[in-house]
Amino acid sequence: MTAAPAPAIAIDTTSFSTYFRYAAIAYSSDISAYGTWSCPLCLDASIRDTTNVTFTPSPDDAQEQGYIAVSPSLKTIIFAVRGSRTVEEWLNNLQIWKKALPITNRPTGVEVHSGFWDVWTQLRPIMEPTLVRHLNANPGYTVTFVGHSLGGAVTQLAAVDFAARGIVPASNAQLITFGQPRVGSIEFSQYFSKLGFKQVVRVINKSDIVPHLPPAFLDYRHQFHEYWINKSGVLITNCNDDTNGKEATNCANTQITKLSVPDHLSYFGISLPK
């Protein structure tokens, strides 16, 4: 199969740290800080104007959480899901089995990590109606799905689910993740690329271990397009991955023999909340 040509990328890479702040805030354990937007990361000038913030814990046991908010300056609705509490917890409970993506009219072979999909189904009953309210209240705004680690995987699945059901057209949504694990099969990666999202950004910091899991030899593949922060702290924007499920060979995969947990816990000099 001939590799699909990479679509043109037109994004302000200086905004990545802004979106990482949004992703990191989903870890906050101070529930009151969401409504008042008063957490330490919330007060940064780049996101201080964020409004209409709704905290969205999973209805059954509140073990998972996210939030939805509005950024007037970016003219986007932020959809964020928290990652695992600790990398060790995530690694210790890593499931590797896949299930067919439970979406109508999906192509054959489109499979996703069963545990990631289960997290999304726990959050969907509260996050979907909340997002719909924000969409109705903010016509003309895009939706930006953001997440770090497990949160990135879950927000990708949410974006796919919403696009497939017509709740959020892919052309009006962008996915920006940090330290995201692989989510599904190579067929899922191809299917995702064909949905036509407005922008897709997958950032990996140095030798971050999590993006290398679950392993590729189990038929897991990342989605296009990778951006890699190299060991010198330089953001590499020409990673040679493509929309056919080929992962880049000139970026994070060059670090496969020297993977790091600490590189997962801080991006752009911004650490996750304790």
Side-chain angles (χ1 to χ4, degrees):
M1 180 183 292
T2 303
I9 297 296
I11 188 168
D12 176 12
T13 57
T14 63
S15 69
F16 289 179
S17 61
T18 295
Y19 288 114
F20 181 71
R21 288 181 187 277
Y22 278 124
I25 286 167
Y27 284 89
S28 178
S29 58
D30 182 359
I31 297 175
S32 65
Y34 288 98
T36 58
W37 202 242
S38 58
C39 68
L41 289 176
C42 302
L43 302 179
D44 186 79
S46 64
I47 60 173
R48 193 177 298 159
D49 70 337
T50 303
T51 187
N52 296 331
V53 185
T54 304
F55 177 62
T56 54
S58 53
D60 51 355
D61 57 10
Q63 290 300 302
E64 312 297 340
Q65 69 181 48
Y67 71 92
I68 297 174
V70 176
S71 169
S73 57
L74 296 172
K75 296 198 177 306
T76 194
I77 298 166
I78 299 294
F79 183 104
V81 173
R82 183 187 67 190
S84 300
R85 294 180 187 86
T86 67
V87 177
E88 289 77 10
E89 175 189 358
W90 193 88
L91 294 175
N92 288 339
N93 293 289
L94 179 65
Q95 301 173 13
I96 60 173
W97 54 90
K98 298 188 291 290
K99 65 186 293 181
L101 179 67
I103 285 177
T104 305
N105 297 325
R106 56 166 173 75
T108 301
V110 176
E111 297 180 327
V112 296
H113 187 284
S114 60
F116 299 161
W117 182 261
D118 288 347
V119 172
W120 168 231
T121 59
Q122 291 177 48
L123 287 166
R124 184 167 56 187
I126 185 170
M127 296 198 80
E128 180 173 323
T130 302
L131 178 60
V132 170
R133 287 197 301 272
H134 280 70
L135 286 167
N136 292 337
N138 298 277
Y141 273 44
T142 61
V143 179
T144 301
F145 295 88
V146 299
H148 168 266
S149 192
L150 168 69
V154 176
T155 54
Q156 181 183 7
L157 291 173
V160 169
D161 188 15
F162 289 143
R165 292 190 288 126
I167 294 172
V168 180
S171 60
N172 195 48
Q174 57 183 355
L175 173 71
I176 304 178
T177 69
F178 307 88
Q180 174 194 330
R182 296 182 177 104
V183 171
S185 62
I186 189 169
E187 291 85 358
F188 172 72
S189 177
Q190 295 166 345
Y191 169 72
F192 177 81
S193 292
K194 291 176 181 176
L195 289 174
F197 283 92
K198 183 183 181 78
Q199 194 68 247
V200 179
V201 172
R202 182 172 53 81
V203 183
I204 300 177
N205 184 46
K206 301 177 181 176
S207 299
D208 184 345
I209 187 173
V210 171
H212 298 275
L213 299 169
F217 68 77
L218 293 175
D219 188 33
Y220 279 91
R221 292 295 187 279
H222 275 302
Q223 75 274 10
F224 177 87
H225 180 259
E226 177 183 346
Y227 292 80
W228 179 50
I229 304 168
N230 71 14
K231 280 297 187 180
S232 299
V234 176
L235 182 69
I236 306 301
T237 62
N238 63 341
C239 299
N240 62 2
D241 51 344
D242 68 31
T243 56
N244 257 341
K246 171 187 173 292
E247 294 191 1
T249 57
N250 63 333
C251 288
N253 277 334
T254 63
Q255 304 298 301
I256 195 68
T257 61
K258 37 194 166 185
L259 301 178
S260 162
V261 169
D263 285 347
H264 185 64
L265 305 177
S266 176
Y267 274 61
F268 305 105
I270 304 167
S271 297
L272 297 175
K274 297 294 186 183

